């Protein structure tokens, strides 16, 4: 077995000494992502090119040392938290942040994985194009992270999640070999390995160059804000909009708790006396837009909306979206910590599941906020708490487990966009049987036979034949 | 015994010998010929349920595209799967082959339609991936792996597909032959067209959506760019082969085809990059073979999903001539 000293020397030779770090402060910073899960890193390195990533991965492979890729670290499921039989090497892609090529005519761009989601959309806006996946964290999350998690966002209701926007990925495989999965042509030969890689949460290699599909900006947009006297009315209105044969670009819900803190923070003009607010965006050519706006307005009104406002201009629209996307930061006004959940339920079960989530949090005496992608049934119950209060973490986790079970019982699934990571891997048997999990393990094993690449993630303990699902090291809790 | 269990029993466990799954035989040659004489099985058929409020439909794999369309039309929706012979082509076959139709530009590739897949694996077990939900990232995305796998990793038994609202209108327009209409400029000027097709003489444009928007695009984009007549639908693809060309290289490729094979007919999907052409023209289209690393990943995946090689023996999703030649050399060695 290679000692840490040998491995660090090899990494320093392959990268450069100042981009391979082992001081305890830095290791501590990279021992976690935006989840509440803490692991342990042995080395942190910052490659700047495909060659450097390949060299770092090859060094880890030779040493039999696990490694974990990390983008901006905004993941909420522990996907970038380093855990393994030995403390892993963390390979950070933030220095690989160049947009390499934009072909506006073909609507394709090649980017490095560390490019931030919103930076990409801003960089191509003057061509009338954008990168459609728009997670709430888009100011800080990276495209590489989007690929790893198959990220969503409000506008994925119409435009589809990240997978639909990735044409090709250059990947450093866990043995250090570089391959290109997918291609710029529409039907690359062979299996859709691109599709299998997207959403694999860093367990099948490290993306080093990504070809993204760019989407034309819509010619016209209308953003509607509707306020409701009850959550149930708002949820029924969501189901009715979809049933009316309309797919808005985005259909978001915020409850009273969230509206109150967001309004105090951004002063967007949200109605603070509403029990729930729906933010509905429709886009397209002007004729259809007028039709859809009328349909949506009348459906909302029929389902109890007290008022439906249309954003008067781009500034008002931007203010409403700023409010929606800063909700997670704004809850700090209530308490210092939050636990953001991510489940999906069939849209026709929204009313009952929202009521159950509310009851679960009340039973555990926890403050709940709801801010989520209602149009595709993607719930984000947000539990706000002060971790210094004795016993509160146990109640937060008990509520989280009960919420997951309620969603699954309603025909839902564990995650809509945050991924499984460490957080939910042991819940996987709630939705998959042994043969299903074995098939997933086969895919991962084909990419990473040695089990070194982001070990212990996604698949539950005992779910694979690899040794990477051994007990987690001390200090990690799920 | 349920239909799925019955299908699994037909496939049988390891040791039950080589087996192939038959759909409508509309793309039977894809992936190469079968070796030996594997036993033939058929997946169950029938629409299990369309849920318009969830925008999903659950359907057994041997359901024809025509039957699927009839079921979703009743709820005012469509599924973005297409085939030349919808009365024969099956849902499972179209997914397993992964080849899109002429409306791909507007409706997206085949792979985006699949939300949940249930298949029978090489052990004769029923396996499921994905979920009957429009958004879901629970577990590795085996649904994408199954699309285009040509039945080499498992035989699709039942799937849940994404539905879309049935558009108010779908119209097709054809430019007068040899007029000024520039297919590439039209592709850039139109907003979300269903298709822009070009055969070197005429451009076909498919438009869909609300009537007002379709009319506006005809008046505002098509009419200023040439003389057009409304037609029933897209042309039948010409030529027995299809080639996959990066969008940025399509114009140069078509120039090369025209220069080398002047009389040869072809049809190009602008903005997509699928080129339908004759064998003669196809020889001009560059088709680099997949890299060694990608071929090795295919080998490892097949080895794990079907270690005996009993599912569709002889077939491979890697259809590049160089890869197929290397594989047959390996098999005979």
């Amino acid at each position: 077995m290679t000692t840490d000293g040998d491995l660090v020397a090899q990494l320093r030779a392959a990268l450069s000494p100042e981009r391979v770090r082992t001081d305890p402060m830095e290791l501590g910073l990279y021992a976690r992502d935006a989840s509440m899960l803490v692991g342990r890193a042995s080395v942190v390195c910052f490659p700047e090119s495909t060659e450097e990533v390949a060299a770092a991965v090859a060094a880890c492979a030779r040493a039999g040392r696990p490694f974990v890729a990390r983008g901006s670290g905004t993941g909420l499921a522990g996907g970038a938290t380093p855990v393994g039989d030995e403390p892993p090497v963390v390979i950070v892609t933030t220095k690989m942040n160049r947009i390499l090529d934009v072909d506006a005519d073909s609507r394709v761009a090649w980017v490095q994985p560390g490019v931030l989601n919103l930076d990409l959309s801003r960089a191509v806006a003057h061509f009338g194009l954008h990168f459609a996946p728009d997670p709430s964290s888009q100011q800080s999350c990276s495209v590489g992270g989007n690929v790893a998690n198959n990220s969503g966002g409000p506008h994925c209701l119409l435009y589809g999640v990240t997978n639909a926007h990735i044409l090709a990925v250059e990947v450093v495989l866990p043995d250090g070999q570089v391959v290109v999965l997918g291609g710029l042509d529409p039907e690359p030969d062979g299996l859709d390995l691109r599709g299998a890689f997207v959403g694999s949460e860093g367990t099948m290699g490290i993306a080093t160059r990504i070809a993204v599909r760019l989407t034309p900006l819509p010619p016209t947009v209308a953003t509607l804000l509707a306020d409701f006297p009850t959550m149930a009315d708002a949820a029924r209105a969501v189901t009715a909009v979809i049933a009316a044969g309309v797919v808005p670009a985005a259909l978001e819900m915020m409850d009273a708790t969230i509206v109150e803190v967001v309004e105090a923070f951004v002063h967007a003009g949200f109605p603070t006396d509403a029990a729930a607010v729906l933010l509905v965006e429709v886009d397209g050519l002007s004729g259809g837009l007028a039709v859809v706006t009328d349909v949506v307005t009348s459906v909302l009104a029929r389902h109890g909306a007290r008022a439906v406002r249309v954003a008067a201009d781009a500034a008002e629209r931007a203010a409403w979206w700023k409010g929606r996307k800063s909700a997670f930061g704004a809850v700090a006004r209530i308490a210092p910590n939050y636990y953001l959940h991510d489940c999906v339920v069939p849209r026709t079960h929204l009313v009952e599941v929202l009521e159950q989530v509310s009851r679960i949090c009340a039973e555990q005496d926890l403050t709940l906020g709801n801010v989520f992608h209602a149009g595709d049934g993607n719930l984000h119950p947000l539990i706000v708490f002060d971790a210094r209060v004795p016993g509160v973490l146990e109640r937060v986790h008990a509520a989280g487990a009960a919420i997951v079970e309620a969603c699954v019982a309603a025909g839902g699934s564990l995650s809509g966009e945050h991924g499984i990571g460490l957080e939910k891997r042991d819940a996987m048997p709630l939705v998959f049987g042994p043969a299903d999990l074995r098939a997933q393990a086969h895919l991962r094993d084909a990419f990473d036979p040695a089990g070194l690449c982001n070990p212990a993630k996604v698949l539950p303990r005992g779910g694979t034949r690899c040794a990477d699902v051994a007990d987690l090291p001390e200090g990690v809790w799920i | 015994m349920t239909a799925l269990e019955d299908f699994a029993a037909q496939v049988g466990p390891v040791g039950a010998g080589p087996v192939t799954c038959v759909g409508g035989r509309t793309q039977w040659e894809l992936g190469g010929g079968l070796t030996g004489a594997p036993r033939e099985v058929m997946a169950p058929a029938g629409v299990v349920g369309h849920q318009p409020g969830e925008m999903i439909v659950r359907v057994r794999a041997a359901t024809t595209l025509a039957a699927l369309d009839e079921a979703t039309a009743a709820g005012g929706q469509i599924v973005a799967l297409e085939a030349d012979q919808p009365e024969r082509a099956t849902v499972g076959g179209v997914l397993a082959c992964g080849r899109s139709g002429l409306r791909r530009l507007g409706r997206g590739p085949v792979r985006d339609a699949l939300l949940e897949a249930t298949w029978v694996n090489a052990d004769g077990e029923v396996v499921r991936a994905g979920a009957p939900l429009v958004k879901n990232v629970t577990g590795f995305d085996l649904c994408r792996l199954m699309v285009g796998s040509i039945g080499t990793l498992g035989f699709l038994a039942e799937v849940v597909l994404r539905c879309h609202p049935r558009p108010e209108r779908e119209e097709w327009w054809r430019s007068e032959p040899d007029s000024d209409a520039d297919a590439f400029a039209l592709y850039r000027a139109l907003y979300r067209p269903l298709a822009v097709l070009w055969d070197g003489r005429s451009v076909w444009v498919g438009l869909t959506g609300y009537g007002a928007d379709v009319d506006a695009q005809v008046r505002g984009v098509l009419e200023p760019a040439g003389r057009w007549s409304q037609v029933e639908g897209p042309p039948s693809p010409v030529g027995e082969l299809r080639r996959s060309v990066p969008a940025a290289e399509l114009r140069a490729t078509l120039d090369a085809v025209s220069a080398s094979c002047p009389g040869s007919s072809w049809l190009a999907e602008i903005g997509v990059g699928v080129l339908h052409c004759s064998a003669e023209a196809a020889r001009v289209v560059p088709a680099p073979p997949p890299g060694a690393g990608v071929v090795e990943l295919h080998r490892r995946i097949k080895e794990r999903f079907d270690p005996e090689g009993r599912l569709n023996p002889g077939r491979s999703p890697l259809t590049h001539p160089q890869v197929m030649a290397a594989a047959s050399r390996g098999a005979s060695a």
Side-chain angles (χ1 to χ4, degrees), chain B residues 249-318:
Chain B
E249 295 167 24
L250 189 55
R251 190 188 281 270
T253 300
L254 296 175
D255 288 346
V257 167
S258 302
S260 318
C261 327
S264 174
S265 60
W266 46 263
L267 184 72
E269 300 180 27
I270 311 301
V272 174
V274 172
L275 174 61
H276 307 266
C277 62
S278 65
E280 182 197 17
R283 276 196 287 274
V284 183
V285 181
V294 167
V295 174
E296 169 62 12
L297 282 172
H298 279 76
R299 191 194 62 74
R300 286 195 220 150
I301 289 170
K302 176 69 174 176
E303 187 180 85
R304 283 158 180 78
F305 278 77
D306 180 20
E308 281 195 336
R310 63 185 294 253
L311 305 180
N312 272 347
R315 280 212 177 124
S316 168
L318 283 168

Side-chain angles (χ1 to χ4, degrees), chain A residues 21 71 78 94 151 161 167 184 204 240 256 307 317 334 397 411 431 470:
Chain A
R21 301 185 193 156
T94 49
S151 300
V161 295
L167 299 175
L184 299 190
M204 298 183 192
R317 177 180 166 234
I334 303 175
H397 282 279
V431 290

Side-chain angles (χ1 to χ4, degrees), chain A residues 97-112:
Chain A
N97 60 357
R98 282 181 304 135
I99 296 172
L100 301 169
D101 182 53
V102 177
D103 180 346
D105 279 351
S106 303
R107 299 175 187 163
V108 178
W110 277 102
V111 303
Q112 289 187 311

Side-chain angles (χ1 to χ4, degrees), chain A residues 159 185-187 189-191 194 219 287-288 292 346-348 373 378 413 415 417 431 436 438 440 445-446, chain B residues 54 104 111 125 128 135-141 191-192 210 213 242 244 248 272 293 298 300 304 317 319-320:
Chain A
Y159 291 95
D185 60 319
E187 293 176 347
D189 199 25
L191 296 168
R194 169 213 65 87
V292 173
R347 293 180 268 216
T348 47
H373 313 307
N378 190 181
S413 198
S415 175
E417 55 185 12
V431 290
D436 309 336
R438 223 164 30 243
Q440 295 188 33
D445 188 51
Chain B
E54 298 293 344
R104 172 169 171 165
R111 62 187 186 230
E125 298 170 306
R128 183 177 50 81
K135 193 173 182 191
N136 173 41
V137 294
T138 307
F140 298 132
D141 197 351
Y191 185 68
R192 289 196 201 154
Y210 291 96
D213 292 341
R242 59 194 280 149
S244 173
V272 174
H298 279 76
R300 286 195 220 150
R304 283 158 180 78
T319 60
H320 194 279

